[in-house]
Amino acid sequence: MTATDERERHGATGGGRRPMEGLLVVGLEQAVAAPIATRHLADMGARVVKVENPRGGDFARHYDEALNGMAAHFVWCNRGKESLALNWTDPRGAEALERLLSRADVLIQNLAPGAASRRGLAAEQVTARHPRLVAVDISGYGEGGPLSHKRAYDLLVQSEGGSCAITGEPGRPAKAGIPLVDLATGMYALTSVLAALYARRETGRGSAIAVSLFDVVTEWMGYPLNFTMGTGVEQEPAGVGSPAVAPYGAYPTADGQTVVLGTTNDGEWQRLARQVLGRPDLADDPAYAGNADRVRERTQLDTVISAWSKSLTLARAQEILDEAGLGNARLNSVQEVLDHPHLVARDRWQDVATPTGTVRALLPPPIAAEWSPPMGAVPALGEHTDAVLAELGYSADEIVALRADKVV
């Protein structure tokens, strides 16, 4: 069943009005956290104007040239937006930005520490001038703490917030492979905007919102923080597994693949031991009766399961696990995910235009019966500058003058 089939099954073709249509979002943004939030608003139909420095733009444009000569991060986070190249540190650029904000519904910014407030663009400052605006400040460490002045990138905040310590292998901490904290922060910014827009329908007023990467990662550290707070024990990272549950991990198969399987309750453990491993003695052994027991005996159980998995091909191992009603997966490479039959069967890949040609992009995760995402183009730096300025009341001669003075 394709994504279109899923929508049609619910009685709609996805051609209806998108929920954020008619809203103007301004992004003073760079890298991932703010751009992923505004991209999802664009996916929901909002008009997103990305304000970029005329000299180079969002620095994520230049991370690499991996995708048709464009940076992979930038293409991912910036489709469906308009690019306004504007030096808003120049008084004339600041005036143009203020005109834009006077029309906007949402502003999201993740500039360097102090940069927005110095220019009157922090959330509380800008909502004081434009009371209907929903404004979000994304920062590394929030205000009022000893780290508030520091620059913060995903790796740095994962390290400071403890998530690297619980990732990887014992004695070998690791960063999550995806920019976990950037993405989580973007999602908190997105949900906060949606909540504030909902509230504005009743109050007529916007909101000033602040979200910090450090607060996000420490919130998402809830389980390990609670565990250590309650026990005084810092759990060791478990690689492709979990310190909280056992057996739960990756096991080699006879054909050089890896099957990932796990149990999340005692009933599943009983089925694994009896039906899959053929070891009723393990199922009856009180040493493995509860999850906490099995976590303590993880090494012994992993040895037994690895011996079982090495005797089978991946396909046969997964067939047996499916028959027993146990969760399992294949450990895939990035290339294998690109070619994943589940994405192909559900029509998840769509074409998106970029300045250097068409690329494939995944549809956003939500599937709505009534509307579909526009999957708009990735903008070139400053591609929409003239059109946006004209819309803001600038004449052709004024735009030429601004361009000559490198304000745009």
Side-chain angles (χ1 to χ4, degrees):
M1 178 179 292
T2 67
T4 301
D5 292 334
E6 290 186 44
R7 290 192 294 269
E8 290 178 346
R9 182 166 57 86
H10 291 285
T13 62
R17 179 181 173 86
R18 299 177 181 104
M20 298 290 107
E21 280 187 29
L23 293 175
L24 173 59
V25 176
V26 176
L28 289 174
E29 57 182 28
Q30 52 203 356
V32 175
I36 198 68
T38 58
R39 197 216 78 190
H40 279 290
L41 288 166
D43 288 338
M44 297 175 187
R47 179 189 180 191
V48 177
V49 176
K50 182 182 182 75
V51 181
E52 300 188 73
N53 188 327
R55 296 182 296 279
D58 182 342
F59 56 71
R61 285 183 177 273
H62 312 291
Y63 280 165
D64 54 60
E65 297 180 349
L67 197 59
N68 282 5
M70 298 193 71
H73 276 91
F74 188 85
V75 172
W76 168 40
C77 294
N78 290 285
R79 68 165 183 259
K81 302 179 185 180
E82 300 173 33
S83 174
L84 168 62
L86 184 68
N87 177 10
W88 48 268
T89 65
D90 183 289
R92 292 165 293 174
E95 165 60 22
L97 179 57
E98 197 66 17
R99 289 194 200 183
L100 180 62
L101 292 176
S102 71
R103 302 180 178 206
D105 297 283
V106 177
L107 167 67
I108 301 181
Q109 68 86 12
N110 67 333
L111 303 174
S117 59
R118 286 194 296 271
R119 299 287 176 174
L121 294 170
E124 290 189 355
Q125 295 170 319
V126 77
T127 53
R129 300 193 303 275
H130 306 290
R132 283 184 53 80
L133 188 67
V134 173
V136 181
D137 294 336
I138 294 177
S139 67
Y141 293 100
E143 296 298 322
L147 302 182
S148 296
H149 67 287
K150 293 177 72 70
R151 287 183 177 269
Y153 306 122
D154 186 87
L155 168 62
L156 306 181
V157 182
Q158 284 202 42
S159 298
E160 194 75 42
S163 66
C164 289
I166 63 168
T167 308
E169 302 286 346
R172 300 178 63 190
K175 172 191 173 295
I178 60 174
L180 178 69
V181 184
D182 279 340
L183 294 174
T185 302
M187 292 301 96
Y188 276 109
L190 173 64
T191 55
S192 298
V193 165
L194 299 178
L197 290 171
Y198 183 81
R200 193 179 72 171
R201 300 191 312 170
E202 297 295 327
T203 67
R205 297 185 62 84
S207 300
I209 300 164
V211 184
S212 82
L213 277 71
F214 186 71
D215 290 345
V216 167
V217 71
T218 51
E219 159 66 18
W220 280 30
M221 285 283 291
Y223 165 73
L225 290 175
N226 278 349
F227 188 93
T228 300
M229 183 163 41
T231 66
V233 174
E234 294 196 31
Q235 294 173 311
E236 294 278 10
V240 184
S242 168
V245 182
Y248 193 53
Y251 305 94
T253 59
D255 51 351
Q257 301 293 319
T258 301
V259 62
V260 182
L261 64 93
T263 61
T264 58
N265 57 61
D266 293 342
E268 290 183 349
W269 156 246
Q270 288 290 321
R271 295 202 300 278
L272 176 65
R274 296 180 189 278
Q275 298 174 229
V276 174
L277 302 177
R279 292 291 302 274
D281 58 312
L282 295 179
D284 294 336
D285 192 331
Y288 307 117
N291 180 65
D293 304 311
R294 295 190 293 275
V295 168
R296 283 192 297 271
E297 304 297 334
R298 179 194 309 276
T299 301
Q300 291 87 335
L301 290 176
D302 283 348
T303 299
V304 172
I305 297 170
S306 292
W308 169 80
S309 65
K310 287 177 183 177
S311 69
L312 302 165
T313 64
L314 174 70
R316 181 57 183 151
Q318 290 195 284
E319 183 181 17
I320 293 170
L321 290 163
D322 285 342
E323 289 172 353
L326 295 173
N328 64 89
R330 176 189 183 189
L331 185 65
N332 283 317
S333 69
V334 175
Q335 183 62 56
E336 287 164 338
V337 175
L338 280 172
D339 302 327
H340 204 296
H342 198 70
L343 295 174
V344 173
R346 298 174 63 244
D347 198 22
R348 297 296 297 166
W349 290 107
Q350 300 290 307
D351 288 339
V352 168
T354 81
T356 60
T358 300
V359 299
R360 290 192 305 160
L362 285 168
L363 287 163
I367 298 174
E370 292 78 16
W371 55 275
S372 59
M375 303 298 285
V378 176
L381 175 59
E383 178 180 347
H384 304 90
T385 299
D386 289 5
V388 172
L389 291 177
E391 185 180 336
L392 296 176
Y394 287 87
S395 69
D397 289 343
E398 288 174 314
I399 295 172
V400 168
L402 291 172
R403 194 173 297 283
D405 292 340
K406 301 188 183 328
V407 178
V408 300

